[in-house]
Amino acid sequence: MRVIIERDYDSMSRRAASIVAELIRRQPDAVLGLATGSTPIGLYRELIRLHREEKLDFARLTTFNLDEYEGLPAGHPQSYHHFMKDHLFAHVNLKSKRTHLLDGLARDAARACAAYERRILKAGGIDLQLLGIGGDGHIGFNEPGSSLAGRTELVLLHPRTIADNGRFFDRLEDVPRRALSMGVGTILEARVCLILASGKNKAEAWARMIEGPISAQLPASALQLHPQVIALCDEAAAANLQHIDRYRHAAEVLADQSLLPANLKRKRARRRV
Ligand code: GLP
């Protein structure tokens, strides 16, 4: 895991955008896994700026979002469909037929989730999966106790997540109790994972993810098993890291090297599940 610590939220967001932009420039038909939440908003803002000012081209990209609340229609202001439209899709030249999100209104969630997995495979798999981390260590909506080999499915939200995400809804009772989410197993199949964390309320989960034991009690810790993880945070989120000097040293020594693997070319998987 490459741990990169930036000074604050804005510099973290710019750094994240530079990594995503490098991927898009090197592989214009890449498949991106996208995340929601307040953390990636700055990154999306910077990508929009790069699109406007430096002509960063999204036309050939394919995207898959991590998760969606159950029961919220795409037009609901708190749906992740709406979030993506607001914070990215409406401002760049992504093709709508190549942006994919789980359907919160699917009558048969299991079927919709299996179809989503098939679509990811058909697209050749995810090249770079963007992730945030919940205060309880969840990724996507994979809460503590989720299988570390889990696939996309309908999941229950933990009370802490309901409370954390309640800030976006008028009333706590309005927060959906379930969601459709890529599984940890699905996430681990991405070629590169870029996980972001900002602020002191993430410091504990962040340190456990990087330095703690791998445990289903902290689903983000499964990323320790992945060979290409970029863990990018600000100073506040890094506050509990024990080996911070080691990470800073590595970042300094490797400063002029790309954080992305040299060979991004991928085999186009057409396997069916
Ligand atoms: C939600 C999302 C996660 C996200 C997490 C953290 O629960 N499903 O994908 O990482 O919130 O959100 P924030 O970035 O707002 O702290």
Side-chain angles (χ1 to χ4, degrees):
M1 201 180 284
R2 287 289 305 276
V3 181
I4 308 287
I5 303 157
E6 293 287 342
R7 196 180 59 256
D8 54 21
Y9 179 75
D10 287 343
S11 43
M12 178 197 78
S13 301
R14 280 195 298 273
R15 186 73 184 268
S18 74
I19 296 166
V20 176
E22 182 191 334
L23 173 79
I24 298 174
R25 289 190 179 112
R26 281 170 59 186
Q27 194 176 320
D29 65 345
V31 179
L32 286 185
L34 299 176
T36 51
S38 42
T39 310
I41 291 177
L43 151 67
Y44 293 146
R45 204 181 296 135
E46 180 65 9
L47 287 177
I48 294 165
R49 189 192 69 74
L50 291 172
H51 171 66
R52 288 187 181 147
E53 294 175 15
E54 296 179 22
K55 308 217 173 345
L56 185 65
D57 188 7
F58 293 74
R60 292 172 59 203
L61 288 179
T62 298
T63 69
F64 287 92
N65 264 77
L66 271 175
D67 46 16
E68 178 57 287
Y69 289 114
E70 184 195 30
L72 298 193
H76 188 286
Q78 294 313 328
S79 76
Y80 287 163
H81 278 77
H82 193 272
F83 176 100
M84 290 311 303
K85 197 171 154 207
D86 236 28
H87 293 286
L88 186 68
F89 295 168
H91 312 284
V92 296
N93 63 333
L94 275 162
K95 295 268 187 303
S96 59
K97 63 172 188 223
R98 282 201 285 274
T99 60
H100 305 278
L101 283 104
L102 285 151
D103 177 7
L105 295 184
R107 287 236 186 103
D108 184 340
R111 210 174 148 156
C113 291
Y116 201 66
E117 292 261 347
R118 280 198 299 274
R119 233 173 290 146
I120 294 173
L121 276 178
K122 209 171 157 206
I126 291 173
D127 292 302
L128 183 141
Q129 178 65 56
L130 184 65
L131 296 161
I133 183 169
D136 60 3
H138 72 245
I139 46 175
F141 267 131
N142 297 286
E143 299 283 22
S146 304
S147 164
L148 299 186
R151 310 304 308 184
T152 305
E153 63 179 351
L154 184 63
V155 295
L156 268 183
L157 303 192
H158 191 274
R160 173 162 182 186
T161 302
I162 294 171
D164 282 354
N165 293 1
R167 68 189 191 278
F168 300 114
F169 291 79
D170 292 339
R171 301 171 314 159
L172 200 58
E173 304 86 87
D174 296 339
V175 185
R177 269 35 186 174
R178 300 198 297 186
L180 289 81
S181 178
M182 278 188 204
V184 177
T186 319
I187 293 168
L188 291 178
E189 281 172 11
R191 289 171 190 87
V192 178
C193 289
L194 170 58
I195 184 160
L196 307 179
S198 168
K200 63 177 186 328
N201 59 335
K202 298 293 170 68
E204 192 201 331
W206 192 245
R208 287 177 63 203
M209 171 186 95
I210 296 167
E211 296 173 341
I214 297 172
S215 163
Q217 291 313 313
L218 195 98
S221 65
L223 293 172
Q224 291 178 33
L225 292 167
H226 191 290
Q228 297 284 351
V229 175
I230 306 165
L232 173 57
C233 67
D234 62 11
E235 292 282 355
N240 288 21
L241 292 172
Q242 298 272 314
H243 303 290
I244 198 156
D245 293 346
R246 207 184 292 164
Y247 311 134
R248 289 198 205 281
H249 172 72
E252 228 177 276
V253 173
L254 303 171
D256 54 358
Q257 283 185 24
S258 169
L259 288 163
L260 295 173
N263 183 9
L264 289 170
K265 283 273 171 277
R266 61 184 195 276
K267 280 199 201 119
R268 291 219 165 250
R270 298 275 173 197
R271 188 162 57 90
R272 293 212 157 253
V273 283

